[in-house]
Amino acid sequence: MKLLVIGSGGREHALAWKLAQSNKVEIVYVAPGNAGTASEKKICNITLSDHQHLIQFCIEQEIDFTLIGPEAPLAAGIVDDFISAGLAVFGPSQYCAQLESSKDFAKAFMRQHGIPTAAYATFTDAEAAHRYIDEKGAPIVIKADGLAAGKGVVVAMTEEDAHNAIDSMLLDNSLGSAGARVVIEDYLQGEEASFIVMVDGEHVIPMASSQDHKRLLDDDAGPNTGGMGAYSPAPIVTPEVHQRVMDEIILPAVKGMQEAGHPYRGFLYAGLMIDESGAPYTIEFNCRFGDPETQPIMCRLQTDLVDLLLAALEGKLDKISVNWSDQTAVGVVLAAAGYPQTPKRGDFIEGIEAANQIGKVFHAGTTFNLDKKLIVSGGRVLCVVGMGNNVAEAQKQAYAAITPIQFRGMHYRKDIAAKALK
Ligand code: AMP
Ligand code: GLY
């Protein structure tokens, strides 16, 4: 089979790497991919991005199916375009992708279907937003309605911070049209987890549980990022919590989309806050696999990912089961100097081969320069995964694999998965 993966991050490297392991697969194209996907056996980068050019490519190359990694093309309707062209594609339609591309859509959907989430109100008028904050007090959370690449959420611990966030988004247009409408929601307390499932429109297969580390610095300090590391499984997702998430969040969401006449097909990611009593609340929905959660999760997947995707495309996820390694996987993100604000690009990266002798290195912001030297090209540069029979072993392997890697300004968290050791 010939497959296509859309995207260029660590998530897409891990998905393409897993697909390429299938003996059904002849080649996996990645558009546009990164230096990591360029270096793998049976994987080939292509530089197309425009939907019509990608469709043309799939028709000419007789691609069996396409898997969409990131949210931006999904929100732009790539799946609708592929389906109109008669191509097999795994990912949600533009309508369903609103669960991620509009916080207001997602909150209204959750309210309509009784899915547990923080109480909220939506505003376009700054005066009204300020009055709501005065009434509610702090801590309180301000969210840009649209896609803002991880920069759209302000968890305001003081009323002053909340008012400033409103002025920045609604008056100064700091996030452009993404922030022209804001959702203000109650502050939730508890522990976060990522709950990712595969949906074929009707049936659901949960992926292994995982936990991301969103803040830049150790002990969850510093600004929010796209994710600085993740591990799987996440002990906070006990069998009881798992059941509640399925019953109270995932299945109502899938049913709600079916009832709306827009069956959800694709990966669905619920970002959870689990309170002390074990009750799960939905912080957000993403309409795709998580990054960096994909990297450790794919390292634990034992079932052929091609079989899972084929079953999903045929609406037969109820007919297939999925096996996970009993091992723990820990992925640590190595970031560029200046990430997340202004990542510095162009520095040489060394030591990948040695690192791959110990763990598995997934690339994200990497490319080859004209001299074919590996250089930094984005904020999150690499994600290094270690495996082990328990959290401590997996963590040890991940950090051991990082030791040989060097680039100027490289920084990473030293406490990935530490919570799971407690
Ligand atoms: P989001 O992009 O919606 O996932 O938000 C980014 C991060 O902000 C989350 O991972 C949480 O750490 C935090 N956050 C978002 N919403 C809330 C909330 N209602 N209460 C507390 N923390 C939140
Ligand atoms: N790791 C969080 C995300 O993919 O949005």
Side-chain angles (χ1 to χ4, degrees), residues 15 17 41 60 88-89 91 154-156 189 229 236 244 253 264 332 337-338 364 390 401:
L15 291 169
W17 166 79
K41 285 193 208 100
E60 279 167 14
V89 57
V154 176
V155 179
Q189 261 173 319
I236 177 87
R244 287 192 66 172
Y264 192 101
V332 181
N390 52 48

Side-chain angles (χ1 to χ4, degrees), residues 100 103 107 117-119 139-144 149-157 184-190 192 212-215 224-225 269 271-273 281-286 288:
E100 176 166 4
K103 299 270 186 206
K107 295 296 283 191
T117 186
I140 191 156
V141 182
I142 319 294
K143 299 185 174 185
K151 298 195 178 108
V153 175
V154 176
V155 179
M157 299 314 287
I184 305 182
E185 68 177 30
D186 290 1
Y187 175 77
L188 296 170
Q189 261 173 319
E192 288 183 53
D212 185 12
H213 297 60
K214 293 247 167 74
R215 302 294 195 98
N224 255 317
T225 70
Y269 169 141
L272 305 175
M273 187 71 87
Y281 293 85
T282 315
I283 295 178
E284 61 167 350
F285 280 119
N286 293 321
R288 51 174 174 80

Side-chain angles (χ1 to χ4, degrees), residues 240-263:
E240 294 75 36
V241 170
H242 178 102
Q243 196 58 51
R244 287 192 66 172
V245 176
M246 286 298 285
D247 293 344
E248 297 172 26
I249 298 172
I250 301 294
L251 296 176
V254 170
K255 199 157 163 269
M257 281 298 182
Q258 253 183 319
E259 284 167 6
H262 295 277

Side-chain angles (χ1 to χ4, degrees), residues 113-137:
H113 298 284
I115 294 171
T117 186
Y120 81 105
T122 302
F123 299 91
T124 49
D125 175 52
E127 281 310 309
H130 286 306
R131 277 198 302 276
Y132 185 76
I133 290 166
D134 288 338
E135 271 168 40
K136 281 279 189 172

Side-chain angles (χ1 to χ4, degrees), residues 300-312:
R300 293 187 58 223
L301 178 63
Q302 291 177 329
T303 310
D304 188 333
L305 180 58
V306 174
D307 289 340
L308 284 175
L309 288 165
L310 287 174

